[in-house]
Amino acid sequence: KINGKIISNYTSVPYTRLRWYAVARGLYGEVLSKLVDKKRQEKNCQEKLLETALQHFVESVHISTIAAISYIALESTKMMWNALLPLLDTKYNRRKLIKPMSTVASYLRNLRENTDPDFLTLYYAALLGCITESKEWSLGEKVVNEAFEFMPSTHHKVLWEAKMLYLSKLGKNVLAAISNMK
């Protein structure tokens, strides 16, 4: 809220304030993820806290993208990664992670944020694993193609493996894609 009005597109917010909005959302997500107590809370309560934390991380990356502050976007993505790790344990949760993870991946692509390619490779491997498990081949192809746009070629192995799988599942020409490998 700004002056009592709820804003959603952030276009009227000054750049310097957007930075703090992004940081605040990231911290909000981190605090929520730290509230999880595996010994005292039921599994569904833990998952709800983590899912809410993920929403704040996604919003942090979104605001960072609007403000073109890639280092905050990357740090929020890393905090998001740490929070989502416990959610990778079930197929149901992995399916729910596809949307927030692919949204963040799209924001990182828009920023051309690739300063930590090892982390991004790990992130994309998990995202593509979730997509593959849910058999969303078209989405997988889209995500892989977006990742090729900004990931360093030294870290393309995971992307090529997924691309070949998605192309074959979609009935597309895999040989043509292999001949385009750089």
Side-chain angles (χ1 to χ4, degrees):
K1 284 186 171 182
I2 296 180
N3 297 330
K5 296 179 183 176
I6 296 176
I7 57 168
S8 60
N9 61 9
Y10 303 104
T11 55
S12 62
V13 180
Y15 166 83
T16 52
R17 196 176 307 162
L18 282 177
R19 176 180 347 135
W20 293 112
Y21 285 4
V23 169
R25 284 295 190 132
L27 289 174
Y28 193 168
E30 187 174 31
V31 167
L32 286 173
S33 68
K34 299 289 184 195
L35 289 175
V36 172
D37 185 348
K38 293 180 181 179
K39 293 179 182 174
R40 295 184 178 174
Q41 295 169 332
E42 294 178 4
K43 183 81 168 145
N44 63 341
C45 291
Q46 295 173 33
E47 290 173 357
K48 189 66 177 164
L49 275 171
L50 293 174
E51 289 167 10
T52 305
L54 291 181
Q55 293 171 0
H56 288 284
F57 292 129
V58 171
E59 188 62 18
S60 175
V61 178
H62 175 227
I63 297 168
S64 301
T65 302
I66 293 169
I69 309 173
S70 61
Y71 67 91
I72 293 176
L74 183 62
E75 288 306 312
S76 291
T77 305
K78 288 179 179 180
M79 289 188 296
M80 177 180 161
W81 171 258
N82 290 331
L84 68 78
L85 285 174
L87 295 174
L88 290 171
D89 65 344
T90 67
K91 185 175 183 174
Y92 176 74
N93 285 340
R94 288 189 293 272
R95 181 178 289 271
K96 289 194 312 188
L97 290 175
I98 293 172
K99 186 175 183 345
M101 288 182 75
S102 58
T103 301
V104 166
S106 184
Y107 290 146
L108 293 174
R109 178 192 51 97
N110 291 342
L111 284 171
R112 298 266 190 241
E113 174 49 66
N114 63 0
T115 56
D116 191 349
D118 293 332
F119 168 73
L120 291 175
T121 301
L122 188 63
Y123 184 84
Y124 271 100
L127 172 57
L128 296 171
C130 293
I131 290 171
T132 300
E133 185 177 53
S134 67
K135 300 180 181 178
E136 294 186 37
W137 313 125
S138 296
L139 175 62
E141 182 186 22
K142 177 183 174 266
V143 168
V144 166
N145 288 336
E146 288 178 355
F148 274 122
E149 292 178 23
F150 76 101
M151 290 278 290
S153 59
T154 56
H155 292 74
H156 280 185
K157 183 177 188 263
V158 169
L159 301 177
W160 277 113
E161 290 171 357
K163 182 170 183 148
M164 295 301 109
L165 174 67
Y166 298 143
L167 290 176
S168 66
K169 292 293 186 179
L170 290 169
K172 296 185 178 180
N173 190 350
V174 176
L175 293 176
I178 290 173
S179 67
N180 289 334
M181 280 187 185
K182 297 176 184 175

